[in-house]
Amino acid sequence: MKEATMARHEALGLTADQVREMYYYMLLTRRLDERLWLLQRGGKIPFVISPQGQEAAQVGAAFAFRRRQDWFTPYYRDLGVNLVVGVTPREVMLSAFARGADPASGGKQMPSHWGNRPLNIVSGSSPVTTQVLHAVGIAQAARMRGDDVVVYTACGEGSSNQGDFHEALNWAGLHKLPVIFMVQNNEYAISVPLSQQVAGGSVAARGRGYGMPGVEVDGTDVLAVYEVVKEAHERARRGEGPTLIEARCIRITSHSSDDDQRRYRDPEEIAAVQVRDPIRKARQYLFEHGLMDEAAEQELERKVAAIVDDATDWAEAQPYAAPEEALRHVYKEG
């Protein structure tokens, strides 16, 4: 059993250090998000939209892409993707505190509206699913320029019912563009369960209608996600077109800090999702195969806690943008 599971990450071309790095980013994503909730409840930041339960989907996917070469139009929950691509915890907190040095928007946008020009992360809009159209446009431009680029874009399964989603997939499929559509299905669109939002119950099944593979994967298994996204990435680079991936995840927290899932989910259901926690699953893998022990885990927890503390304290101490900066980057200058 042990040898078979060990062969799994080795067969994917991942070293032991890379698997441990995946776990580090998953843990960093979780601990940063937990700190954001504390800050919001303490009245220090305005809003949280949580990735808890989706860390494996995000980190596994991001590891299949090339940093500073590929392009990213993430959605608001994609904290793990942004961290892997290169956004620092300090920059995450600058956005949360709406400080002027926030690289995403200079403190003008809500938190989790990701954007970072040097890292090829394109700023999104507050209306959901607009980012998938941006991804298709970038992919088409790259095709016309002859650039070796694959574009990552993501949304939730609720957003996959929007018109923008269908238009984007149709165009990408028609022109075989190098895009990976990652739907992180956490089984709830705010308070609406999956059974009441997706006809047929499968987002992946829609891929066939748009001329691309539709792949469903366990979104709580970081290695499984890495495997399917890596294959889709290679497929895109071969010129074979886009892939639709549905990662079946869980949602541990409420939809956002403005929501209370206890009003529409049974306590038993909320407790049951903990069994599928991707952090637990990745931790178990590391322990079972000698890639981490209790001492190493405690050291990693201390390291991550120190990073989160530093990011929080440093970002809170940074100044807000000057009033004369209010319109900067809103209209074309010069």
Side-chain angles (χ1 to χ4, degrees):
M1 180 66 183
K2 179 177 178 180
E3 291 181 358
T5 310
M6 279 294 288
R8 189 173 167 222
H9 74 267
E10 292 171 345
L12 294 172
L14 293 170
T15 65
D17 284 342
Q18 286 174 312
V19 178
R20 283 190 285 261
E21 187 182 14
M22 285 179 163
Y23 184 74
Y24 161 74
Y25 278 111
M26 292 174 65
L27 192 64
L28 180 61
T29 302
R30 178 68 61 88
R31 299 294 180 251
L32 271 172
D33 189 70
E34 290 171 345
R35 176 61 56 83
L36 291 171
W37 279 91
L38 289 174
L39 293 169
Q40 196 277 335
R41 294 306 193 231
K44 290 195 170 185
I45 66 172
F47 185 70
V48 182
I49 189 94
S50 181
Q52 290 190 37
Q54 301 177 210
E55 294 92 344
Q58 296 174 7
V59 171
F63 262 75
F65 281 80
R66 299 163 296 180
R67 303 170 196 183
R68 295 180 181 269
Q69 180 171 347
D70 291 324
W71 283 70
F72 304 84
T73 67
Y75 88 131
Y76 44 63
R77 293 194 198 278
D78 263 335
L79 173 58
V81 169
N82 281 271
L83 290 172
V84 173
V85 171
V87 174
T88 69
R90 284 186 169 189
E91 290 171 338
V92 172
M93 287 298 176
L94 284 174
S95 174
F97 282 107
R99 295 309 199 245
D102 163 30
S105 72
K108 300 184 182 72
Q109 270 276 28
M110 292 175 65
S112 301
H113 285 58
W114 311 107
N116 192 305
R117 180 174 290 185
L119 300 176
N120 295 345
I121 301 171
V122 180
S123 181
S125 303
S126 293
V128 297
T129 329
T130 53
Q131 70 275 6
V132 297
L133 289 168
H134 300 162
V136 171
I138 293 167
Q140 185 152 28
R143 170 71 57 77
M144 295 169 71
R145 291 161 55 104
D147 294 342
D148 178 14
V149 164
V150 180
V151 186
Y152 166 93
T153 189
C155 64
E157 83 285 355
S159 298
S160 74
N161 301 317
Q162 298 284 337
D164 286 354
F165 181 82
H166 299 283
E167 293 172 16
L169 266 71
N170 189 58
W171 192 260
L174 190 64
H175 295 280
K176 295 189 178 301
L177 298 176
V179 185
I180 296 176
F181 298 93
M182 181 87 171
V183 176
Q184 297 175 36
N185 181 355
N186 65 20
E187 302 178 343
Y188 269 91
I190 307 182
S191 60
V192 181
L194 179 66
S195 60
Q196 296 178 30
Q197 25 158 337
V198 177
S202 171
V203 177
R206 296 171 173 170
R208 183 177 179 185
Y210 295 115
M212 67 184 75
V215 182
E216 183 176 313
V217 64
D218 179 359
T220 66
D221 184 335
V222 66
L223 294 181
V225 173
Y226 173 78
E227 181 175 12
V228 299
V229 177
K230 181 171 180 282
E231 183 176 337
H233 190 277
E234 291 170 353
R235 182 173 178 275
R237 291 191 67 198
R238 292 195 300 267
E240 297 174 14
T243 301
L244 170 62
I245 297 172
E246 178 184 6
R248 300 295 291 250
C249 304
I250 56 172
R251 197 184 82 188
I252 294 176
T253 68
S254 298
H255 170 73
S256 75
S257 54
D258 292 346
D259 177 39
D260 183 356
Q261 63 180 350
R262 294 172 299 180
R263 301 182 65 178
Y264 53 85
R265 298 181 81 177
D266 295 332
E268 294 78 12
E269 180 186 344
I270 294 174
V273 302
Q274 300 291 340
V275 177
R276 298 167 58 201
D277 188 333
I279 300 288
R280 288 187 184 184
K281 187 174 290 187
R283 177 184 180 276
Q284 183 177 356
Y285 183 91
L286 293 174
F287 269 80
E288 284 183 353
H289 304 291
L291 301 175
M292 184 171 70
D293 57 21
E294 290 188 3
E297 181 185 30
Q298 292 173 7
E299 178 59 31
L300 182 61
E301 286 280 7
R302 285 193 290 270
K303 174 184 175 182
V304 169
I307 291 171
V308 174
D309 286 344
D310 167 77
T312 305
D313 295 342
W314 179 84
E316 188 174 13
Q318 302 309 302
Y320 289 106
E324 53 268 29
E325 294 283 315
L327 296 181
R328 191 175 180 211
H329 301 310
V330 176
Y331 301 104
K332 185 177 185 302
E333 299 173 7

